[in-house]
């Protein structure tokens, strides 16, 4: 998903501020971004603070989870507007959880095909 958002970042930035937050230290995030070829994403680290836990991107045990949050400026105050909380929602038999994939173009594209997403393929960081 971030590969696709990186390519669209310059267009997205004309309407909203898009920021990707990860728990890793910023130097590690930047090395990963360089390896992926990301040049347009704004990347921040939440190492050393409680952002991930506060906004449901981290379990009580410290496991990191994908989470999409939307914030809105209301005068001088920034407020949490929306969060993708479907990660833990019950799914029907044979279905994968639906969560942040609503903004992931590969899943959207697969959803248009007669076979749909299928159950045997998931995105990887690299393919052999």
């Amino acid at each position: 998903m971030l590969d696709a958002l990186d390519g669209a970042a310059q267009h997205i930035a004309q309407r909203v501020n898009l920021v990707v937050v990860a728990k890793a230290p910023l130097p590690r995030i930047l090395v990963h971004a360089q390896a992926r070829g990301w040049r347009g994403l704004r990347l921040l680290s939440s190492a050393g603070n409680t952002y991930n836990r506060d906004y449901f991107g981290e379990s009580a045990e410290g496991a990191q989870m994908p989470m999409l949050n939307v914030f809105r400026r209301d005068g001088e105050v920034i407020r949490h507007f929306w969060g993708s909380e479907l990660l833990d929602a019950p799914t029907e038999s044979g279905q994968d959880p639906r969560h942040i994939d609503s903004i992931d173009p590969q899943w959207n594209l697969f959803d248009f095909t007669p076979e749909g997403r299928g159950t045997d393929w998931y995105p990887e960081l690299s393919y052999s």
Side-chain angles (χ1 to χ4, degrees):
M1 172 184 60
L2 294 180
D3 291 338
L5 284 177
D6 180 71
Q10 66 180 348
H11 306 291
I12 294 168
Q14 293 179 28
R15 300 277 315 263
V16 298
N17 288 313
L18 172 67
V19 178
V20 177
V21 179
K23 185 77 174 206
L26 188 57
R28 183 173 172 202
I29 295 169
L30 295 176
V31 166
H32 182 74
Q34 185 176 16
R36 298 295 297 174
W38 299 341
R39 295 188 314 260
L41 290 174
R42 219 168 125 203
L43 305 168
L44 299 177
S45 172
S46 61
N49 64 52
T50 60
Y51 174 85
N52 289 36
R53 191 171 328 120
D54 294 344
Y55 290 100
F56 306 104
E58 181 176 298
S59 72
E61 296 78 28
Q64 301 303 297
M65 302 174 297
M67 184 65 181
L68 175 62
N69 285 294
V70 176
F71 296 87
R72 178 179 180 204
R73 181 179 298 278
D74 186 8
E76 295 298 315
V77 178
I78 297 176
R79 301 182 189 279
H80 186 255
F81 177 76
W82 178 84
S84 60
E85 301 170 356
L86 292 176
L87 183 63
D88 296 317
T91 58
E92 294 183 27
S93 178
Q95 294 251 328
D96 289 326
R98 298 294 196 255
H99 181 50
I100 59 172
D101 52 337
S102 61
I103 65 166
D104 195 334
Q106 68 194 11
W107 294 124
N108 293 172
L109 182 65
F110 292 158
D111 286 343
F112 291 132
T113 67
E115 295 81 23
R117 298 174 183 214
T119 58
D120 59 347
W121 185 86
Y122 292 92
E124 302 285 338
L125 288 177
S126 63
Y127 300 96
S128 39

